[in-house]
Amino acid sequence: MAKSSADDVELRRACEAAIEDPKQKIVLSLRVAKSNGILGKSSKLGRQMAKPRVLALSTNSKGQRPTAFLRVFKYSTGGVLEPAKLYKLKHLSKVEVIANDPSGCTFTLGFDNLRSQSVAPPQWTMRNTDDRNRLLLCILTICKDVLGRLPKVVGVDVVEMALWAKENTSAVSTQSHMQDGGPVASSVTERELKVNVEKELVSQAEEEDMEALLGTYVMGVGEAEEFSERLKRELQALEAANVHAILESEPLINEVLQGLESATNCVDDMDEWLNVFNVKLRHMREDIASIETRNNNLEMQSVNSKSLIEELDKLLERLRVPSEYAACLTGGSFDEARMLQNVEACEWLTSALRGLEGPNLDPSYANMRAVKEKRAELEKLKSTFVRRASEFLRNYFASLVDFMISDKSYFSQRGQLKRPDHADLRYKCRTYARLLQHLKSLDKNCLGPLRKAYCSSLNLLLRREAREFANELRASTKASRNPTVWLEGSTGSGQNVNATDTSTVSDAYAKMLTIFIPLLVDESSFFAHFMCFEVPTLVPPGGVVNGNKAGYDDDDDDLGIMDIDDNDSKSGNNSAELTALNESLQDLLDGIQEDFYAVVDWAYKIDPLRCISMHGITERYLSGQKADAAGFVRLLLGDLESRISAQFSRFVDEACHQIERNERNVRQMGVLSYIPRFATLATRMEQYIQGQSRDLVDQAYTKFVSVMFATLEKIAQTDPKYADIFLFENYAAFQNSLYDLANIVPTLAKFYHQASEAYEQACTRHISMIIYYQFERLFQFARRIEDLMFTVAPEEIPFQLGLSKMDLRKMLKSSLSGVDKSITAMYKKLQKNLTSEELLPSLWDKCKKEFLDKYESFAQLVAKIYPTETIPSVAEMRDLLASM
């Protein structure tokens, strides 16, 4: 190789000056393009070594054992080299060229004293492959000559390096340490410094040795055959000499054999020892495996314990009861200012209890003693809080009502009707609405006693308000009593039955309903929401009940609690909830109906007919109560309707008894007194009809008329002689008095037609009796002829006994002679017992018509049976009757 350049010499001197040790000699120094030492780039020193450095190989020839080093130099801030790192080549175990670098200039050096697995081996990148080959060849040469061993070479093609060494003939000046320790300067070629080159390659030194060998035999290189023969002879001589030497060395061989035998014994002993050691090592391996298994188990146990601790920490956090909530639940105040804290404590307690129940709690935790104890503690907190809150609310409800009852300004007083106002009461109760919601979520059973306490307290207030209002309402209503005896038969027909105006009575009843029905509906609605019943809304939006503009505003019932458990309502629970609500409303409003009954009874005593208008008013309110939770209000209105109907039925029954008393009189003549009075009564009843009370009045009409007609028939039967006169006079009076009403009332129209038919029947019977009385022989003769015509031929009838022509002439002479006198007598008889003179003209007309019809039938019969006989014609008889 060519001599080192001036730059290399200057660099070597700079390195020797930097180490300041005369014992150390620099063999080779090269600049590095990039380096990465054992310190990572994350450290300060690692970042500094990443900058360009200088590598130098140095040897130390002094001492018993020669040493070789790989030194790393860096440039200071002044551009002066200074030592950075030192590696001992005796620890070099591996030289590896990095395959990832396409230039092939990067390599790593593995040192066996780097025990830490986290420390990366030194890695450098040279400026070119020539510098790399020079450095690696120098390192390997020093390791072989100085240290006596070679490191493992990976990633280097030795043939390629041999060819490179052959091409680069420049010598490298090295300093090596011989076995005697003296430094000797030698000049070798790169071919002499190659390592692990194939044996077939012949170096220049070997070629020189061959030339020297040929020179000893005075032969040239071209005399190969002679040289080969000579070498064969010398080889045979040497072999014979070797055999002789072997024979002479038999004692030595024996000694060697003995040594070998001894060595064999030693080997056998060593084999036994090795077997023993192998057994011990096997046991050790088993022990180590057992230890590793235990270590793995311990590591797994450690990981599991850590996870368990984390889970237990989370569980403990869930089981922890905040002190502020515990204090609030066990002994906190229920004042309005503290309600927010109470509600927050309830929410926490509810969530904590739910967190300890499935599926929120892992089933593996459910049977833990700590969880059971904490659940028991939370249950105790819940029961304590529920008990305290329930006791407070019961006392609070009672105190509110007691305060209102003790203040008379809340109730109606003399001369002043007071509308009940519960706005302040509801406002104060609304403060605890959310508390009741949370009590329901904690313990539904606690609501039962609370509802009873609220109903009991408010029931006293409502009954007091209704009683005071009803008393003042009756006292402030001025109305004269109407007669209750409308159809009494013992009084004269001229009895004054003109009733006074009693509309104030029904107005008072309507006012009672107007004030209290909306109040009761609103109280039911407020109670249902306040006490957490899951039922539909009671009052429609706007708060107007049955068109009552003075109704209570539904906004007062907005408790602001619908966001809690809003979805708890299930269709399956609605029926049970509604049943419980109706039972509670029964307790809330029970007893208030007595004051309504008192108003109804008072109105009945003043004017029984006012039951009709009160029934219509009640029916109108009853039809407006559609909400499920207004059940008791519907029951109250239904009871009021039944009460009114019962009172009116009582009036109807008494009137019917008055009608029936007429039949007890000895003799009744003319029109009965109850006939015209009924017309007056019906006219008054029609004036009182409102809404749905038509059915009630029609039922009364039916009962009245049925009893009137039955009584009329019974009285007529007491004197059959004048029965027909009595009947048609009364039926005629009934028709005349009810003519106008019958045109507008279907039920009375039906009875009007019934009376008309009865009138016609009575008239017909009476007229027939008068006609037969005056012309008895005439019509008896005609009847005998009619009877025989069923069995005897018409032409044979004149030959029958008593029906001859002579008999006919005698009968005509006795009956029709003085017929005008007979007709006059018939008129007088018709007039004789008639008390209603206005009926006489119509009756006489009916009588004449009936007589002419009968006479015409007689004339036709005579013309058929006695064609030769002459009688007065029908026209003559009609003219005679017309002249009367």
Side-chain angles (χ1 to χ4, degrees), residues 172-224:
V172 181
S173 178
T174 62
Q175 290 186 4
S176 59
H177 300 274
M178 307 304 293
Q179 292 182 359
D180 57 357
V184 176
S186 62
S187 177
V188 296
T189 63
E190 292 293 339
R191 186 179 293 109
E192 293 173 339
L193 296 178
K194 69 181 180 7
V195 181
N196 293 336
V197 183
E198 294 296 332
K199 297 299 182 179
E200 287 78 8
L201 295 178
V202 180
S203 65
Q204 184 177 0
E206 292 175 343
E207 185 176 354
E208 292 176 355
D209 292 340
M210 291 178 64
E211 292 178 353
L213 180 60
L214 291 174
T216 58
Y217 292 97
V218 194
M219 290 183 182
V221 178
E223 300 175 354

Coordinates of all heavy atoms in Angstrom, one line a residue, residues 172-224:
V172 N 1.2 -0.8 5.5 CA 0.7 -0.1 6.7 C 1.7 -0.3 7.8 O 2.1 -1.4 8.1 CB -0.6 -0.7 7.1 CG1 -1.2 0.0 8.3 CG2 -1.6 -0.6 6.0
S173 N 2.1 0.8 8.4 CA 3.1 0.8 9.4 C 2.4 0.4 10.7 O 1.5 1.0 11.2 CB 3.7 2.2 9.6 OG 4.7 2.1 10.6
T174 N 2.8 -0.7 11.3 CA 2.2 -1.2 12.5 C 3.3 -1.4 13.5 O 4.5 -1.6 13.2 CB 1.5 -2.5 12.3 OG1 2.4 -3.5 11.9 CG2 0.4 -2.3 11.2
Q175 N 2.9 -1.4 14.7 CA 3.8 -1.8 15.8 C 3.2 -2.9 16.5 O 2.1 -2.9 17.0 CB 4.0 -0.6 16.8 CG 4.8 0.5 16.2 CD 5.1 1.6 17.2 OE1 4.8 1.4 18.4 NE2 5.9 2.6 16.8
S176 N 3.9 -4.1 16.6 CA 3.4 -5.3 17.2 C 4.3 -5.7 18.3 O 5.5 -5.3 18.4 CB 3.3 -6.4 16.2 OG 4.6 -6.7 15.6
H177 N 3.8 -6.5 19.2 CA 4.5 -7.0 20.3 C 4.8 -8.4 20.1 O 3.9 -9.2 19.9 CB 3.6 -6.8 21.6 CG 3.3 -5.3 21.8 ND1 4.1 -4.5 22.5 CD2 2.2 -4.6 21.5 CE1 3.5 -3.3 22.6 NE2 2.4 -3.4 22.0
M178 N 6.1 -8.7 20.1 CA 6.5 -10.1 19.9 C 6.4 -10.8 21.2 O 6.1 -10.3 22.3 CB 8.0 -10.1 19.4 CG 8.2 -9.2 18.2 SD 7.1 -9.6 16.8 CE 7.8 -11.2 16.4
Q179 N 6.8 -12.1 21.2 CA 6.7 -13.0 22.4 C 7.7 -12.6 23.4 O 7.4 -12.7 24.6 CB 6.9 -14.4 22.0 CG 5.7 -15.0 21.2 CD 5.9 -16.4 20.8 OE1 6.9 -17.0 21.3 NE2 5.0 -17.0 20.2
D180 N 8.8 -12.0 23.0 CA 9.8 -11.6 24.0 C 9.5 -10.2 24.6 O 10.2 -9.7 25.4 CB 11.2 -11.6 23.4 CG 11.3 -10.7 22.2 OD1 10.2 -10.1 21.8 OD2 12.4 -10.6 21.6
G181 N 8.5 -9.6 24.0 CA 8.0 -8.3 24.6 C 8.7 -7.1 23.9 O 8.4 -6.0 24.3
G182 N 9.7 -7.2 23.0 CA 10.4 -6.1 22.4 C 9.7 -5.6 21.2 O 9.3 -6.4 20.4
P183 N 9.6 -4.3 21.1 CA 9.0 -3.8 19.9 C 9.8 -3.9 18.7 O 11.0 -3.6 18.7 CB 8.8 -2.3 20.3 CG 9.9 -2.0 21.3 CD 10.1 -3.3 22.0
V184 N 9.3 -4.4 17.6 CA 10.0 -4.5 16.3 C 9.1 -3.9 15.2 O 7.9 -4.2 15.1 CB 10.2 -6.0 16.0 CG1 10.9 -6.2 14.6 CG2 11.1 -6.7 17.1
A185 N 9.8 -3.1 14.4 CA 9.1 -2.4 13.3 C 9.2 -3.3 12.1 O 10.3 -3.7 11.7 CB 9.8 -1.0 13.0
S186 N 8.1 -3.6 11.5 CA 8.1 -4.5 10.3 C 7.2 -3.9 9.3 O 6.2 -3.2 9.6 CB 7.7 -5.9 10.7 OG 6.3 -5.8 11.2
S187 N 7.5 -4.2 8.1 CA 6.7 -3.7 6.9 C 6.1 -4.9 6.3 O 6.7 -5.7 5.8 CB 7.6 -2.9 5.9 OG 6.8 -2.5 4.9
V188 N 4.7 -5.0 6.3 CA 4.0 -6.1 5.8 C 3.0 -5.6 4.8 O 2.6 -4.4 4.9 CB 3.3 -6.9 6.9 CG1 4.3 -7.5 7.8 CG2 2.3 -6.0 7.6
T189 N 2.7 -6.4 3.9 CA 1.7 -6.0 2.9 C 0.3 -6.4 3.4 O 0.1 -7.1 4.4 CB 1.9 -6.8 1.6 OG1 1.7 -8.2 1.8 CG2 3.3 -6.6 1.0
E190 N -0.7 -5.8 2.7 CA -2.1 -6.1 3.1 C -2.4 -7.6 2.9 O -3.2 -8.2 3.6 CB -3.0 -5.3 2.2 CG -3.0 -3.8 2.5 CD -3.5 -3.5 3.9 OE1 -4.2 -4.3 4.5 OE2 -3.1 -2.4 4.4
R191 N -1.7 -8.3 2.0 CA -1.9 -9.7 1.8 C -1.5 -10.5 3.0 O -2.0 -11.5 3.3 CB -1.2 -10.2 0.5 CG -1.4 -11.6 0.1 CD -0.7 -12.0 -1.1 NE -1.2 -11.2 -2.3 CZ -0.5 -10.3 -2.9 NH1 0.7 -9.9 -2.4 NH2 -1.0 -9.6 -3.9
E192 N -0.4 -10.0 3.7 CA 0.1 -10.7 4.9 C -0.9 -10.5 6.0 O -0.8 -11.2 7.0 CB 1.5 -10.2 5.2 CG 2.5 -10.6 4.2 CD 3.9 -10.0 4.4 OE1 3.9 -9.0 5.2 OE2 4.9 -10.5 4.0
L193 N -1.6 -9.4 6.0 CA -2.5 -9.1 7.2 C -3.9 -9.7 7.1 O -4.7 -9.5 7.9 CB -2.6 -7.5 7.3 CG -1.3 -6.8 7.6 CD1 -1.6 -5.3 7.7 CD2 -0.7 -7.3 8.9
K194 N -4.2 -10.3 6.0 CA -5.6 -10.9 5.8 C -5.8 -12.0 6.8 O -4.9 -12.7 7.2 CB -5.8 -11.3 4.4 CG -5.0 -12.6 3.9 CD -5.3 -12.9 2.5 CE -4.6 -14.1 2.0 NZ -3.8 -14.9 2.7
V195 N -7.0 -12.2 7.1 CA -7.4 -13.3 8.1 C -8.5 -14.1 7.5 O -9.4 -13.6 6.8 CB -7.9 -12.6 9.4 CG1 -8.3 -13.6 10.4 CG2 -6.8 -11.7 10.0
N196 N -8.4 -15.4 7.8 CA -9.5 -16.4 7.3 C -9.6 -16.4 5.8 O -10.7 -16.4 5.3 CB -10.8 -16.1 8.0 CG -10.8 -16.3 9.5 OD1 -10.0 -17.1 10.0 ND2 -11.7 -15.7 10.2
V197 N -8.4 -16.3 5.1 CA -8.5 -16.3 3.6 C -8.4 -17.8 3.2 O -7.7 -18.6 4.0 CB -7.3 -15.5 3.0 CG1 -7.4 -15.5 1.5 CG2 -7.4 -14.1 3.5
E198 N -8.9 -18.2 2.1 CA -8.9 -19.6 1.7 C -7.4 -20.1 1.5 O -6.5 -19.3 1.1 CB -9.6 -19.7 0.3 CG -11.0 -19.4 0.4 CD -11.8 -20.4 1.2 OE1 -11.3 -21.6 1.3 OE2 -12.8 -20.1 1.8
K199 N -7.2 -21.4 1.9 CA -5.8 -22.0 1.9 C -5.2 -22.0 0.5 O -3.9 -22.0 0.4 CB -5.9 -23.4 2.5 CG -6.4 -23.5 3.9 CD -5.5 -22.7 4.9 CE -6.0 -22.8 6.3 NZ -5.1 -22.1 7.2
E200 N -5.9 -22.0 -0.6 CA -5.4 -22.1 -1.9 C -4.6 -20.9 -2.3 O -3.8 -20.8 -3.2 CB -6.5 -22.4 -2.9 CG -7.0 -23.9 -2.8 CD -7.9 -24.0 -1.7 OE1 -8.3 -23.0 -1.1 OE2 -8.4 -25.1 -1.4
L201 N -4.9 -19.8 -1.7 CA -4.2 -18.5 -2.1 C -2.8 -18.6 -1.6 O -2.5 -18.9 -0.4 CB -5.0 -17.3 -1.5 CG -6.4 -17.1 -2.0 CD1 -7.0 -16.0 -1.3 CD2 -6.4 -16.9 -3.5
V202 N -1.7 -18.2 -2.4 CA -0.3 -18.2 -2.1 C 0.2 -16.8 -1.9 O 0.0 -16.0 -2.8 CB 0.6 -18.9 -3.1 CG1 2.0 -18.9 -2.7 CG2 0.1 -20.3 -3.4
S203 N 0.7 -16.5 -0.7 CA 1.1 -15.2 -0.4 C 2.5 -14.9 -1.0 O 3.2 -15.8 -1.5 CB 1.1 -14.9 1.1 OG 2.1 -15.8 1.7
Q204 N 2.9 -13.7 -1.0 CA 4.2 -13.3 -1.6 C 5.4 -13.9 -0.7 O 6.4 -14.3 -1.2 CB 4.3 -11.8 -1.6 CG 5.6 -11.3 -2.3 CD 5.6 -9.8 -2.4 OE1 4.7 -9.1 -2.0 NE2 6.7 -9.2 -2.9
A205 N 5.1 -14.0 0.6 CA 6.2 -14.5 1.5 C 6.4 -16.0 1.2 O 7.5 -16.5 1.2 CB 5.8 -14.3 2.9
E206 N 5.3 -16.7 1.0 CA 5.4 -18.2 0.7 C 6.1 -18.3 -0.7 O 7.0 -19.3 -0.8 CB 4.0 -18.8 0.6 CG 3.3 -18.9 2.0 CD 2.0 -19.4 1.9 OE1 1.4 -19.4 0.8 OE2 1.4 -19.8 2.9
E207 N 5.9 -17.5 -1.6 CA 6.5 -17.6 -2.9 C 8.1 -17.4 -2.8 O 8.9 -18.0 -3.4 CB 5.9 -16.6 -3.9 CG 6.5 -16.7 -5.3 CD 5.8 -15.8 -6.3 OE1 4.8 -15.1 -5.8 OE2 6.2 -15.7 -7.4
E208 N 8.4 -16.4 -1.9 CA 9.9 -16.1 -1.6 C 10.5 -17.3 -0.9 O 11.7 -17.7 -1.2 CB 10.0 -14.9 -0.8 CG 9.6 -13.6 -1.5 CD 9.6 -12.4 -0.6 OE1 9.9 -12.6 0.6 OE2 9.4 -11.3 -1.1
D209 N 9.7 -18.0 0.0 CA 10.3 -19.2 0.7 C 10.5 -20.3 -0.3 O 11.5 -21.0 -0.2 CB 9.3 -19.6 1.8 CG 9.3 -18.6 2.9 OD1 10.2 -17.8 3.1 OD2 8.3 -18.7 3.7
M210 N 9.6 -20.5 -1.3 CA 9.8 -21.5 -2.3 C 11.1 -21.2 -3.1 O 11.8 -22.1 -3.4 CB 8.6 -21.6 -3.2 CG 7.4 -22.1 -2.4 SD 5.9 -22.2 -3.5 CE 6.5 -23.3 -4.7
E211 N 11.3 -20.0 -3.5 CA 12.5 -19.7 -4.3 C 13.8 -20.0 -3.5 O 14.8 -20.5 -4.0 CB 12.5 -18.2 -4.7 CG 11.3 -17.9 -5.7 CD 11.3 -16.5 -6.1 OE1 12.0 -15.7 -5.5 OE2 10.5 -16.1 -7.0
A212 N 13.7 -19.7 -2.1 CA 14.9 -19.9 -1.3 C 15.2 -21.4 -1.2 O 16.3 -21.9 -1.2 CB 14.7 -19.3 0.1
L213 N 14.1 -22.2 -1.1 CA 14.2 -23.7 -1.0 C 14.8 -24.2 -2.3 O 15.7 -25.1 -2.2 CB 12.8 -24.3 -0.8 CG 12.8 -25.8 -0.6 CD1 13.7 -26.3 0.5 CD2 11.3 -26.3 -0.5
L214 N 14.4 -23.8 -3.4 CA 14.9 -24.3 -4.7 C 16.4 -23.9 -4.8 O 17.2 -24.6 -5.4 CB 14.1 -23.7 -5.9 CG 12.7 -24.3 -6.0 CD1 12.0 -23.6 -7.1 CD2 12.7 -25.8 -6.3
G215 N 16.8 -22.7 -4.2 CA 18.2 -22.3 -4.3 C 19.1 -23.2 -3.5 O 20.3 -23.4 -3.9
T216 N 18.6 -23.9 -2.5 CA 19.5 -24.8 -1.7 C 19.9 -26.0 -2.5 O 20.9 -26.7 -2.3 CB 18.8 -25.2 -0.4 OG1 17.5 -25.9 -0.7 CG2 18.5 -24.0 0.5
Y217 N 19.0 -26.4 -3.5 CA 19.3 -27.5 -4.3 C 19.9 -27.2 -5.6 O 20.1 -28.0 -6.5 CB 18.0 -28.3 -4.6 CG 17.4 -29.0 -3.4 CD1 16.4 -28.4 -2.7 CD2 17.9 -30.2 -3.0 CE1 15.9 -29.0 -1.6 CE2 17.4 -30.8 -1.9 CZ 16.3 -30.2 -1.1 OH 15.8 -30.8 0.0
V218 N 20.3 -26.0 -5.8 CA 21.0 -25.5 -7.0 C 20.1 -25.9 -8.2 O 20.5 -26.5 -9.2 CB 22.4 -26.0 -7.2 CG1 23.1 -25.2 -8.3 CG2 23.2 -25.9 -5.9
M219 N 18.9 -25.6 -8.1 CA 17.9 -25.9 -9.2 C 17.1 -24.7 -9.5 O 16.9 -23.8 -8.6 CB 17.0 -27.0 -8.8 CG 17.7 -28.4 -8.7 SD 16.5 -29.7 -8.3 CE 17.6 -31.1 -8.2
G220 N 16.7 -24.7 -10.7 CA 15.8 -23.6 -11.1 C 14.3 -24.0 -11.0 O 14.0 -25.2 -10.8
V221 N 13.5 -23.0 -11.2 CA 12.1 -23.3 -11.1 C 11.6 -24.2 -12.2 O 10.7 -25.0 -12.0 CB 11.3 -22.0 -11.0 CG1 9.8 -22.2 -11.0 CG2 11.7 -21.1 -9.9
G222 N 12.3 -24.2 -13.3 CA 11.9 -25.0 -14.5 C 12.2 -26.5 -14.3 O 11.8 -27.3 -15.1
E223 N 13.2 -26.9 -13.4 CA 13.6 -28.3 -13.3 C 12.7 -29.0 -12.3 O 13.1 -29.4 -11.2 CB 15.0 -28.4 -12.8 CG 16.0 -27.7 -13.8 CD 17.4 -27.7 -13.3 OE1 17.6 -28.1 -12.1 OE2 18.3 -27.3 -14.1
A224 N 11.4 -29.1 -12.6 CA 10.5 -29.6 -11.7 C 10.6 -31.1 -11.5 O 10.4 -31.6 -10.4 CB 9.0 -29.2 -12.2

